[in-house]
């Protein structure tokens, strides 16, 4: 088989059917939509009201309220991206569905673990979110198609400038994830929340939300590293998606500052989050040129 025929085989394999089980995809869309609606329209008012009625520091109250609204936007991203994946090639759909499954699975684990650690079985029952995110994770995983046949598709070479952006994205996103997880968790808003007299149910819910945000921040550098060896289109899609999730928090922070409802939040937050998102998107490989002159073979380097 000549080179052009091999390339055609790889391209055909990459474009085959998007989902293995359409019923699982649509069920995941339905459950994810219900979850997002509950988070936005049912839980928001009592959770935020309980937070603001407690005696936590003003910055912690404003920061966690801002994060709640950012997480609402992230919750709505799940059904939207699941619908968008209906007709994407399998090379893109498989890792994207895996990402949605892992994010929802981690949310389920964080809510369940926080509830059990906070107040035993009664604490678990007070955080029903785990029972909503868990089926989304399972259904999204079941909808993944088989691996596309053939070898890896040719990848476009990165210029020196893009290589610099790549390593900047890895370094900056890893630093932000480590800072958010360690300093943020033990010396900032969640620590103030735990020391406050906020009602137990909302307190556990907000703490589980924070723990998931740590997973979300670590998803960014891990996705950038994963995209080094992934197919170009799959890498571009997932990098854009995780950047969108970070952007949701940046927009929520910026809007609360602009509206004057969070005067104690530092203005550097939206800047650092926006920079994280921008570097993530810019670290993606360029699309291969139609003439193939900027493409490298399966054994090529980044």
């Amino acid at each position: 088989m000549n080179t052009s025929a091999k390339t055609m085989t790889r391209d055909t394999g990459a474009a085959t059917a998007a989902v293995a089980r359409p019923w699982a995809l649509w069920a995941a869309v339905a459950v994810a939509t219900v979850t997002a609606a509950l988070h936005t329209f049912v839980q928001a008012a009592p959770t935020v009201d309980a937070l603001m009625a407690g005696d936590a520091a003003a910055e912690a109250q404003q920061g966690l309220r801002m994060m709640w609204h950012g997480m609402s936007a992230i919750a709505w991203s799940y059904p939207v991206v699941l619908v968008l994946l209906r007709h994407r090639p399998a090379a893109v759909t498989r890792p994207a569905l895996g990402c949605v499954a892992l994010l929802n699975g981690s949310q389920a684990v964080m809510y369940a673990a926080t509830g059990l650690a906070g107040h035993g079985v009664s604490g678990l029952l007070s955080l029903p979110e785990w029972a909503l995110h868990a089926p989304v994770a399972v259904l999204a995983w079941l909808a993944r198609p088989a691996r596309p046949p053939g070898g890896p598709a040719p990848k476009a070479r990165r210029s020196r400038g893009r290589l610099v952006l790549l390593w900047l994205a890895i370094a900056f996103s890893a630093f932000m994830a480590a800072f958010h997880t360690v300093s943020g968790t033990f010396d900032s808003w969640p620590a103030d929340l735990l020391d406050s007299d906020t009602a137990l149910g909302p307190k556990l819910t907000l703490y589980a939300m924070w723990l998931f945000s740590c997973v979300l921040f670590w998803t960014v550098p891990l996705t950038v590293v994963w995209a080094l060896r992934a197919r170009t289109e799959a890498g571009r899609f997932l990098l854009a998606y995780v950047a969108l999730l970070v952007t949701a928090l940046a927009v929520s922070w910026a809007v609360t500052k602009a509206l004057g409802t969070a005067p104690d939040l530092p203005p550097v937050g939206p800047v650092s989050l926006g920079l994280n998102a921008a570097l993530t998107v810019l670290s993606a490989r360029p699309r291969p040129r139609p003439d193939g002159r900027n493409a490298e073979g399966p054994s090529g380097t980044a």
Side-chain angles (χ1 to χ4, degrees):
M1 184 181 292
N2 58 31
T3 303
S4 61
K6 290 180 180 178
T7 302
M8 185 179 300
T9 300
R10 286 196 296 264
D11 292 343
T12 302
T16 50
V19 277
R21 300 173 179 85
W23 64 266
L25 179 70
W26 288 113
V29 170
V31 179
T33 302
V34 170
T35 304
L38 290 174
H39 189 278
T40 306
F41 303 114
V42 177
Q43 289 182 289
T47 302
V48 172
D49 288 347
L51 169 67
M52 303 309 290
D55 63 354
E59 181 181 337
Q61 290 178 326
Q62 296 165 17
L64 291 169
R65 180 180 61 187
M66 171 275 299
M67 284 193 65
W68 180 272
H69 296 307
M71 287 296 175
S72 294
I74 289 172
W76 283 107
S77 79
Y78 298 143
V80 172
V81 77
L82 287 170
V83 171
L84 292 177
L85 288 171
R86 287 176 303 159
H87 303 303
R88 303 288 295 184
V92 173
T93 303
R94 181 179 172 86
L97 286 173
C99 180
V100 172
L102 291 175
L103 288 173
N104 278 272
S106 67
Q107 282 183 280
V109 170
M110 294 306 173
Y111 279 111
T114 301
L116 286 171
H119 214 271
V121 176
S122 62
L124 181 62
L125 296 176
S126 70
L127 270 72
E129 293 87 350
W130 67 269
L132 295 170
H133 288 290
V136 176
V138 172
L139 290 166
W141 192 265
L142 289 174
R144 294 182 312 146
R147 292 183 185 277
K155 303 182 181 73
R157 294 182 184 275
R158 287 185 173 91
S159 64
R160 289 185 178 180
R162 282 185 176 269
L163 283 173
V164 171
L165 289 171
L166 168 69
W167 292 110
L168 280 175
I170 293 174
F172 187 71
S173 59
F175 168 77
M176 283 200 65
F179 181 83
H180 184 84
T181 303
V182 179
S183 177
T185 301
F186 296 105
D187 298 320
S188 189
W189 305 339
D192 289 337
L193 174 70
L194 292 181
D195 291 337
S196 72
D197 63 355
T198 305
L200 179 62
K203 179 185 292 189
L204 294 178
T205 299
L206 290 163
Y207 194 75
M209 176 195 71
W210 177 272
L211 293 180
F212 169 68
S213 74
C214 296
V215 175
L216 177 63
F217 272 82
W218 279 110
T219 300
V220 179
L222 292 175
T223 303
V224 175
V225 172
W226 170 84
L228 287 172
R229 303 301 298 175
R231 294 171 183 262
T232 299
E233 288 304 314
R236 290 176 65 88
F237 185 93
L238 269 189
L239 289 172
Y241 179 55
V242 297
L244 177 67
L245 301 183
V246 175
T247 301
L249 296 179
V251 170
S252 180
W253 196 320
V255 169
T256 56
K257 288 293 291 183
L259 294 177
T261 58
D264 295 288
L265 290 184
V268 71
V271 177
S272 58
L273 290 168
L275 181 59
N276 194 2
L279 287 173
T280 301
V281 171
L282 293 173
S283 70
R285 291 180 182 273
R287 286 190 176 89
R289 292 168 57 177
D291 57 14
R293 284 188 294 175
N294 71 335
E296 61 187 21
S299 60
T301 60

